[in-house]
C-alpha cells in the first residue's frame, strides 16, 4: 500500500492510506500548519483539532471516505493529506480536499496528491469531485465560476463550492486550475 512518489521538484515522498495510528502525526501536522493554510482548508480560523475530529479524519472506511497521507522519508513527518468523502445524496460524487505543509508549498506535492486521490476515487466509483475553495474577492469568484458548475456558499468569507468531473485517467486541466486557484488564495489570504 505504501508507494514512493516523485514530485515536481525532484524529491520523493511516501504515500499511503491514513490509519488510526496516524492520530498523533496528524495532530502534529495540523499544529505546524499556518493560520492561512488552516483557513483555506477549513474555511474558518480553526485553532485546534478535537479528539473527535482526529478520530473522524484518521479512522476512515477507505471506500466512502478515503484519505491518503504523504510523509517525508527524511523527517518521517506527515507533509500532505488528500481526502475525499462521498456525498450522501450522490454516490458518484465526493467532496475532495488537499492540504500540504507550508514548507512544501509550490514544489508539486499538491499536484502529486491530486493525482493519487483521483486514482483512488475512481477505483471506488467516484466520477465527480466537489471542493470548497476560498475565493476571497469577486474576481476570484468569477474565475471559479468559469472553471465549472459553482455556487457561492459563504459570501462573507468568499467561499465557493465547485464541481469537477474526474477524467478516466490522470487529472483534467479543470482540476489543475482549481488547485492553482486554491494555492494562490492560500498565499494571498488575509483575514479581515
Ligand atoms: C492548495 C494547496 C494544496 C496546493 O499545494 P502545493 O503543493 O503548493 O501545489 P503545487 O506545488 O502542486 O502547485 C499547484 C499549482 O499551483 C501553482 N501555485 C503554487 N503556489 C502558487 C502561488 N503561491 N501562487 C500562484 N500559483 C501557485 C503551481 O504552479 C501549480 O500550477 P500548475 O499546475 O499550473 O503548474 C496548498 O496551497 C494548501 O495546502 N493550501 C491550504 C489548504 C487548501 O487551500 N486546500 C485546497 C482546498 S480544500
Amino acid at each position: 500500500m505504501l508507494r514512493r512518489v516523485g514530485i515536481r521538484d525532484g524529491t520523493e515522498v511516501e504515500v499511503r492510506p491514513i490509519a488510526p495510528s496516524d492520530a498523533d502525526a496528524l495532530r502534529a501536522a495540523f499544529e505546524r500548519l499556518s493560520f492561512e493554510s488552516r483557513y483555506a482548508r477549513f474555511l474558518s480560523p480553526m485553532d485546534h483539532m478535537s479528539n473527535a475530529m482526529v478520530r473522524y479524519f484518521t479512522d476512515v472506511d477507505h471506500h466512502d471516505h478515503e484519505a491518503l497521507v504523504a510523509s517525508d522519508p527524511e523527517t518521517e513527518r506527515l507533509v500532505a493529506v488528500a481526502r475525499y468523502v462521498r456525498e450522501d445524496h450522490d454516490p458518484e460524487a465526493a467532496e475532495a480536499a488537499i492540504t500540504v505543509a507550508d514548507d512544501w508549498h509550490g514544489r508539486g506535492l499538491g499536484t502529486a496528491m491530486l493525482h493519487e486521490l483521483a486514482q483512488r476515487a475512481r477505483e471506488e466509483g467516484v466520477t465527480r469531485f466537489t471542493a470548497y475553495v476560498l475565493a476571497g474577492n469577486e474576481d476570484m469568484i468569477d474565475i471559479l465560476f468559469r472553471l465549472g458548475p459553482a455556487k457561492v456558499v459563504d459570501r462573507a468569507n468568499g467561499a465557493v463550492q465547485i464541481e469537477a468531473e474526474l477524467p478516466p485517467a490522470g487529472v483534467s486541466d479543470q482540476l489543475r486550475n482549481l488547485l492553482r486557484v486554491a494555492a494562490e488564495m492560500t498565499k494571498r489570504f488575509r483575514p479581515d
Side-chain angles (χ1 to χ4, degrees):
M1 286 293 237
L2 184 143
R3 299 200 309 115
R4 280 243 171 182
V5 173
I7 66 172
R8 192 176 57 224
D9 79 349
T11 49
E12 283 190 339
V13 290
E14 290 178 339
V15 177
R16 59 173 173 78
I18 206 162
S21 55
D22 288 314
D24 289 346
L26 184 73
R27 200 190 292 276
F30 176 82
E31 296 294 333
R32 286 191 294 272
L33 217 52
S34 68
F35 177 87
E36 289 76 11
S37 288
R38 289 181 194 180
Y39 203 103
R41 166 64 179 88
F42 298 103
L43 307 176
S44 71
M46 210 164 106
D47 61 2
H48 83 290
M49 262 194 190
S50 66
N51 290 339
M53 285 175 97
V54 172
R55 204 171 316 116
Y56 171 76
F57 283 137
T58 53
D59 194 0
V60 305
D61 66 9
H62 305 286
H63 172 61
D64 290 333
H65 184 172
E66 179 64 293
L68 303 173
V69 290
S71 51
D72 176 356
E74 280 181 17
T75 62
E76 293 181 4
R77 284 180 168 182
L78 289 193
V79 290
V81 182
R83 178 182 309 276
Y84 77 71
V85 181
R86 200 184 300 272
E87 306 273 3
D88 288 336
H89 62 278
D90 181 353
E92 291 195 358
E95 185 189 326
I98 297 179
T99 314
V100 169
D102 288 77
D103 51 343
W104 283 72
H105 283 182
R107 298 167 58 178
L109 183 52
T111 303
M113 294 304 280
L114 179 60
H115 277 265
E116 298 290 320
L117 188 69
Q119 184 51 32
R120 272 300 292 129
R122 275 188 293 263
E123 286 165 7
E124 299 299 333
V126 172
T127 62
R128 216 161 51 253
F129 276 162
T130 57
Y132 290 93
V133 181
L134 196 62
N137 58 42
E138 292 297 327
D139 288 350
M140 218 38 131
I141 291 177
D142 284 349
I143 291 174
L144 285 168
F145 271 69
R146 273 183 255 126
L147 280 182
K151 62 179 179 211
V152 175
V153 287
D154 182 348
R155 192 162 284 277
N157 288 317
V160 171
Q161 185 191 32
I162 186 153
E163 224 178 84
E165 293 289 329
L166 286 181
V171 300
S172 58
D173 286 348
Q174 183 195 17
L175 283 168
R176 289 182 67 110
N177 287 334
L178 255 174
L179 193 70
R180 186 170 338 107
V181 171
E184 253 182 85
M185 283 313 299
T186 304
K187 287 284 168 268
R188 275 212 245 154
F189 176 65
R190 292 285 172 276
D192 288 332

